[in-house]
Amino acid sequence: MAQHTDTRSESHQPKHVHHGRTQAAWVGSSLAMVAFIVGGIAVAMQNWVLFTVAVVLIVVALVATKVLQAMGRGAH
């Protein structure tokens, strides 16, 4: 009977994929969702101050995501 030998080395492991299951992804996605909801309501009400708040919240979501990734709470 022929024996199957595995030619893969022990050090070559497949890359672990998080699929967005990180703290950085959750925080960024949650803040962005709130910002888009607030922005949609602001546009419907034609309240441009509230719309500006939503835009600032999107920027905060991006910054928070990058900071959390730099702290090791993200996939990269």
Side-chain angles (χ1 to χ4, degrees):
M1 213 186 251
Q3 202 174 22
H4 177 69
T5 57
D6 192 3
T7 58
R8 292 180 293 175
S9 68
E10 292 296 322
S11 64
H12 182 69
Q13 295 292 328
K15 183 178 178 183
H16 180 72
V17 179
H18 293 280
H19 294 290
R21 295 183 189 135
T22 64
Q23 188 178 14
W26 277 101
V27 168
S29 297
S30 298
L31 286 173
M33 180 180 64
V34 169
F36 275 99
I37 290 170
V38 169
I41 291 169
V43 169
M45 293 174 36
Q46 294 184 357
N47 185 338
W48 303 115
V49 173
L50 190 59
F51 181 77
T52 304
V53 169
V55 171
V56 169
L57 193 54
I58 285 289
V59 173
V60 169
L62 291 170
V63 170
T65 301
K66 289 297 180 185
V67 167
L68 285 169
Q69 283 178 345
M71 291 174 56
R73 304 284 188 181
H76 296 285

